[in-house]
Amino acid sequence: INHDQWVLRFGVLWLPSATWRRFNQSRRISNNEGPRIQFQSYFAMGSSAYSKVSLQVNHTRPLQRLGRLQVQVHGAHFMVKPTQFIDYTFFKGNEMYILGSDEYAFRMLPNYLFATANDHYRMHIKWEPRRFVLTQSELLSLYGLKENLQYSFLQIPNGVKKSPYQEVSYGLTGIGKLLGLDVVYPIGDWVPERWKVMIRIPF
């Protein structure tokens, strides 16, 4: 079966704390510490019409001696639900044991199993302390090792799972100046695994 479809996407990006800086006779926008608020709308026309709006907020907050906190909150609402699976919302999951550089991805969520045409909400919180467990050692800290803790949350109110999906992870980067290691624990019954150890690569 062949389908014809045209998708119109409209977006607005708001950087409320951004400033302009002049560098080499050109002006550049700087938003290193301010929030990034993005609204997007999708309107699909043709044999499989649908419409969706989403709002996403990214914010990085320096915590002085406590390190740095990164937060992403995202919510989406389908005004007209799609009828084709290809138009559903797919979440950045991972069914492998290799983790890339995307900080706002789920470590253990299947890529396609929980795709949805329903409203959904997700959140990622990452804390990078200056000193934590291994980095209490001055030698390991100077070597370049960094630790982080991350919490991820996904709720699909009308999905197949009534309870939210949650996962927590501990990460260690700077191994061999290149690789990292993440230990992930999922909360709930969305995935059968209870623990997962992943190798992080910098791309």
Side-chain angles (χ1 to χ4, degrees):
I1 300 175
N2 294 325
H3 295 274
D4 295 322
Q5 186 181 72
W6 300 267
V7 179
L8 175 65
R9 184 176 71 175
F10 173 76
V12 176
L13 176 63
W14 182 32
L15 307 175
S17 302
T19 57
W20 288 99
R21 294 184 179 180
R22 186 174 295 277
F23 181 78
N24 288 342
Q25 306 301 319
S26 62
R27 296 182 67 191
R28 297 183 179 180
I29 193 169
S30 175
N31 190 55
N32 293 332
E33 297 181 2
R36 178 186 178 94
I37 303 171
Q38 188 171 18
F39 170 82
Q40 288 191 321
S41 58
Y42 302 80
F43 299 95
M45 299 164 285
S47 54
S48 179
Y50 72 91
S51 59
K52 179 179 73 170
V53 293
S54 67
L55 180 66
Q56 179 172 296
V57 179
N58 289 47
H59 189 42
T60 299
R61 180 78 175 178
L63 302 177
Q64 307 304 326
R65 294 183 178 180
L66 296 179
R68 184 176 68 160
L69 188 69
Q70 294 175 267
V71 179
Q72 182 186 85
V73 180
H74 179 97
H77 168 66
F78 280 96
M79 297 175 289
V80 178
K81 293 186 178 183
T83 57
Q84 302 297 319
F85 183 69
I86 194 173
D87 298 322
Y88 283 24
T89 296
F90 296 87
F91 304 101
K92 293 181 179 179
N94 198 321
E95 299 177 75
M96 303 176 63
Y97 290 89
I98 298 177
L99 184 65
S101 59
D102 190 349
E103 303 295 346
Y104 301 121
F106 294 97
R107 271 75 167 151
M108 297 184 67
L109 197 67
N111 289 310
Y112 302 105
L113 185 59
F114 299 105
T116 184
N118 294 308
D119 298 353
H120 50 274
Y121 316 94
R122 60 178 171 82
M123 176 176 62
H124 303 275
I125 301 175
K126 181 181 179 182
W127 175 43
E128 294 180 321
R130 288 191 175 182
R131 298 291 178 88
F132 191 54
V133 180
L134 297 178
T135 49
Q136 290 289 341
S137 166
E138 189 73 23
L139 180 62
L140 293 179
S141 181
L142 291 174
Y143 175 75
L145 290 183
K146 294 183 179 180
E147 297 172 286
N148 67 78
L149 294 176
Q150 183 156 330
Y151 167 77
S152 297
F153 170 95
L154 172 63
Q155 177 73 73
I156 307 174
N158 296 319
V160 294
K161 299 289 187 179
K162 301 305 177 184
S163 61
Y165 173 74
Q166 303 172 80
E167 62 181 30
V168 292
S169 67
Y170 164 82
L172 180 67
T173 61
I175 301 174
K177 304 294 184 180
L178 182 66
L179 301 177
L181 196 68
D182 279 53
V183 181
V184 192
Y185 177 74
I187 302 171
D189 60 349
W190 289 52
V191 295
E193 299 89 351
R194 303 316 307 159
W195 290 94
K196 188 175 184 180
V197 179
M198 309 182 70
I199 298 175
R200 179 185 289 272
I201 55 179
F203 49 83

